[in-house]
Amino acid sequence: MSAIGLILAIAVPLTLLMLGAVLYNRSLQKKQARHNLARVIRQKAGDLLEALEYLMLVDNHKDIQSAVLERISELYDLAAKQAGTEAAGEPFDPEPYSQKIQAATSYRKVLKSDRELKYGRRQFSSILKALSLMAKKKVISETAMVEYRRYLKMTLLEREVDTYTEQGDVAASRGDIVTAANYFKAARKLLIEFDIQFPEKNARVKAIAEKTAALYRGEKNELPEDTVDNLSKALSKEAAAETNEFGMPTDPDAVKKRY
């Protein structure tokens, strides 16, 4: 065998081997990239599912919840497609959530603490972002998105105002004028600065202002003990180690027991 033939006999197999290794490595990289993308999509789906579960706890607008559940199902399906059959895992079953949405008849109107108020804002924000994306993808109409956005913003406002107002009522019933006034102030500020007009807005602002005035007239707000539930009691005992502009705690870790 000539020198050239010997070189070719060695070089060609090595070249093919190296080419195969490169192609295999690229295949692994693409597969890993798909798995990483699937993981990110699953995380987004999980976060949105958490937001939906919270929304189901504090509201019962079935159309919004069903639309969000549909989006969650799409995300889980997309994640499974990206991961491939060998790494797809258990498929997401939306039916239990759909049944729960349709069967719901009640929800919580007052939140548990300043911590849950912040948590609620975050979850509502996730729902609003999902609805905007669904409108861009024509899953829901622009009209529906605007309607849903308004409804959710109004719902969050109501939960916040109701929570602060009830907390003020509980504090007032105990003769704690400063704390009650701070919570009433928080409720009024939310209403006044809210960027959507609605018929009951001025009436609610005036009603809360009257509650504040009654505090300084010495009119103690007596509440029957059975109406001051554990939720309100927990709210009224929040410490003021660190407070916001209303004199209420802003650090979730400032109080050992918040719920």
Side-chain angles (χ1 to χ4, degrees), residues 141-159:
S141 67
E142 285 287 339
T143 302
M145 190 270 290
V146 171
E147 176 190 338
Y148 292 166
R149 177 182 291 274
R150 176 185 173 86
Y151 177 85
L152 287 171
K153 291 180 73 173
M154 288 286 298
T155 299
L156 179 59
L157 174 74
E158 290 174 2
R159 299 297 171 271

Side-chain angles (χ1 to χ4, degrees), residues 17-243:
L17 184 61
M18 292 176 63
L19 179 60
V22 169
L23 293 175
Y24 178 72
N25 187 52
R26 288 182 179 178
S27 176
L28 286 179
Q29 289 177 347
K30 289 181 179 179
K31 186 176 181 180
Q32 185 61 45
R34 289 197 304 271
H35 287 176
N36 291 340
L37 179 58
R39 189 180 304 112
V40 171
I41 296 172
R42 274 196 298 268
Q43 181 62 51
K44 289 183 178 180
D47 291 343
L48 189 54
L49 182 59
E50 179 183 350
L52 174 62
E53 290 176 326
Y54 181 77
L55 184 61
M56 292 163 62
L57 182 67
V58 299
D59 189 55
N60 66 346
H61 195 303
K62 301 183 189 304
D63 290 345
I64 294 177
Q65 294 172 11
S66 296
V68 174
L69 180 60
E70 183 177 345
R71 174 61 179 164
I72 293 169
S73 296
E74 290 177 357
L75 287 173
Y76 275 116
D77 289 344
L78 180 59
K81 183 178 179 181
Q82 289 292 332
T85 55
E86 74 281 3
E90 289 294 324
F92 173 71
D93 182 9
E95 188 58 29
Y97 296 94
S98 180
Q99 292 178 2
K100 188 175 181 179
I101 288 171
Q102 298 306 318
T105 57
S106 61
Y107 53 90
R108 264 201 300 122
K109 293 185 177 181
V110 179
L111 307 184
K112 291 182 178 181
S113 64
D114 188 56
R115 174 184 291 178
E116 190 181 356
L117 285 170
K118 293 179 180 179
Y119 179 79
R121 293 184 194 112
R122 186 168 69 250
Q123 301 307 333
F124 270 72
S125 177
S126 296
I127 296 292
L128 288 168
K129 288 178 182 177
L131 291 173
S132 297
L133 184 58
M134 291 166 68
K136 289 181 180 179
K137 294 186 174 183
K138 309 299 182 183
V139 177
I140 60 175
S141 67
E142 285 287 339
T143 302
M145 190 270 290
V146 171
E147 176 190 338
Y148 292 166
R149 177 182 291 274
R150 176 185 173 86
Y151 177 85
L152 287 171
K153 291 180 73 173
M154 288 286 298
T155 299
L156 179 59
L157 174 74
E158 290 174 2
R159 299 297 171 271
E160 291 177 320
V161 171
D162 287 347
T163 298
Y164 285 142
T165 302
E166 179 158 325
Q167 173 56 13
D169 286 339
V170 173
S173 73
R174 293 172 175 162
D176 189 347
I177 295 177
V178 174
T179 299
N182 282 335
Y183 276 99
F184 291 150
K185 179 182 177 182
R188 288 184 69 242
K189 188 173 189 294
L190 285 170
L191 285 165
I192 291 170
E193 295 182 352
F194 191 57
D195 59 359
I196 298 176
Q197 294 298 321
F198 55 97
E200 302 84 6
K201 181 175 181 178
N202 290 337
R204 294 205 67 179
V205 171
K206 290 179 181 178
I208 295 173
E210 176 57 29
K211 284 177 177 287
T212 304
L215 290 174
Y216 297 103
R217 291 197 300 265
E219 299 175 9
K220 189 175 180 181
N221 184 16
E222 297 288 353
L223 295 178
E225 185 61 28
D226 59 356
T227 66
V228 185
D229 57 15
N230 292 333
L231 176 59
S232 297
K233 290 177 181 177
L235 278 166
S236 67
K237 294 177 181 177
E238 288 189 345
E242 294 185 22
T243 60

